[in-house]
Amino acid sequence: MTAARFQRLRQVLEYRQPDLTIVTDNVHKVRNLSAIVRTADAAGIGTMYCAMPDKDYKAFKGTAMGSHSWVSVQRQPDVSAALRPLKATGYQILATHLADDSVDFREADYTRPTVILLGAEKLGVSAAGCELADMHITIPMRGMVQSFNVSVAAGIILAEVERQRQLAGLYSERRLDDQAYHRTLFEWAQPRLSEYCRENGLAYPALNEDGELVDGLAWQHAVREGSATTFDW
Ligand code: SAM
């Protein structure tokens, strides 16, 4: 880990938006999901949720695209299971839905805690997803085709989300709390060591400015002695 790389990881975490996420409603094509994850990362989304069958999720995770390391992608069995906990904590649910009564996506206020709900390739957002939504949004289309590819729609909407949040100063100061920031930074900078700590019930040791352990030898010694700080993972 070079100091520059570690600095980059820190900068990315400074931009992360803990009150912004995506839920995909049975989007199943691996290339679409991968493109959505990349776009989510670029907008500062740290966690997103995929309502999909387990076998499709395994196929998706198996592709191991680079951006998967930076965005936590969590599977849920159905869209209600994904949306209800977020709705209960105050997120507005914006369903991307191609209907006559949907509002232009540029009219929504994305500075509020927000879920962007994206629909399946053929069927769009399910009835359950539409029902849980606070607003249905649409990207105007002026051509012959009736809809965008779902990952393209995600990109267009997230560009507007980024614009509004940037204007509101939401990328100007760190929004992750200390615990989430330091935990994620450690996992990104020291992926193998973080796995070892979790498997062995150890707290993550402190990192220096280069992303290395402050005193690696002393920590290894403490682990061998059984005196390293523990943590209930
Ligand atoms: N036949 C489907 C329908 O009527 O919803 C088309 C699904 S579209 C190919 C897949 C997803 O991309 C949609 O569910 C929505 O999430 C997103 N999408 C595509 N075009 C969109 C648009 N113009 N506005 C908003 N979302 C769009």
Side-chain angles (χ1 to χ4, degrees):
M1 170 77 47
T2 62
R5 172 82 172 167
F6 190 55
Q7 179 50 33
R8 177 83 194 275
L9 298 182
R10 290 205 297 202
Q11 181 62 73
V12 168
L13 286 177
E14 297 284 336
Y15 290 143
R16 281 296 192 244
Q17 304 287 299
D19 60 351
L20 174 65
T21 191
I22 286 176
V23 170
T24 61
D25 186 352
N26 280 297
V27 174
H28 65 278
K29 287 191 179 155
V30 165
R31 66 169 184 277
N32 287 340
L33 285 170
S34 292
I36 293 167
V37 175
R38 288 175 75 106
T39 311
D41 172 61
I45 291 174
T47 304
M48 57 173 271
Y49 305 85
C50 296
M52 67 195 301
D54 196 35
K55 67 170 178 29
D56 292 347
Y57 180 69
K58 283 193 179 120
F60 163 57
K61 291 295 262 189
T63 60
M65 307 286 281
S67 46
H68 293 195
S69 317
W70 315 115
V71 177
S72 166
V73 180
Q74 300 185 13
R75 187 188 85 87
Q76 291 290 348
D78 58 64
V79 76
S80 303
L83 292 177
R84 283 191 193 285
L86 293 162
K87 202 173 170 74
T89 49
Y91 282 75
Q92 60 171 345
I93 315 287
L94 303 184
T96 55
H97 188 53
L98 306 137
D100 289 344
D101 59 350
S102 296
V103 304
D104 185 314
F105 77 107
R106 290 162 292 201
E107 288 174 28
D109 176 3
Y110 300 102
T111 63
R112 292 173 53 194
T114 297
V115 176
I116 308 291
L117 177 60
L118 298 167
E121 287 85 351
K122 273 213 174 91
L123 300 175
V125 174
S126 61
C130 281
E131 206 159 298
L132 282 165
D134 299 289
M135 191 192 280
H136 295 173
I137 55 171
T138 188
I139 309 161
M141 303 202 59
R142 314 285 183 204
M144 290 296 289
V145 291
Q146 290 186 335
S147 63
F148 290 103
N149 169 280
V150 62
S151 66
V152 172
I156 293 168
I157 290 167
L158 286 176
E160 173 65 8
V161 174
E162 193 279 342
R163 188 190 71 82
Q164 289 191 16
R165 287 189 168 234
Q166 198 264 334
L167 280 177
L170 296 180
Y171 295 106
S172 305
E173 57 184 43
R174 166 146 69 87
R175 315 232 7 262
L176 286 180
D177 63 32
D178 280 355
Q179 197 188 9
Y181 175 82
H182 290 295
R183 192 195 63 233
T184 313
L185 187 60
F186 191 92
E187 288 169 359
W188 285 3
Q190 299 286 346
R192 279 201 296 267
L193 196 52
S194 66
E195 206 177 321
Y196 176 84
C197 287
R198 288 193 302 278
E199 280 169 7
N200 292 281
L202 296 169
Y204 293 157
L207 297 178
N208 64 22
E209 286 300 298
D210 295 335
E212 303 299 337
L213 297 203
V214 169
D215 191 345
L217 284 177
W219 185 74
Q220 282 175 27
H221 183 70
V223 171
R224 274 197 301 274
E225 295 265 289
S227 59
T229 311
T230 57
F231 190 80
D232 185 10
W233 293 102

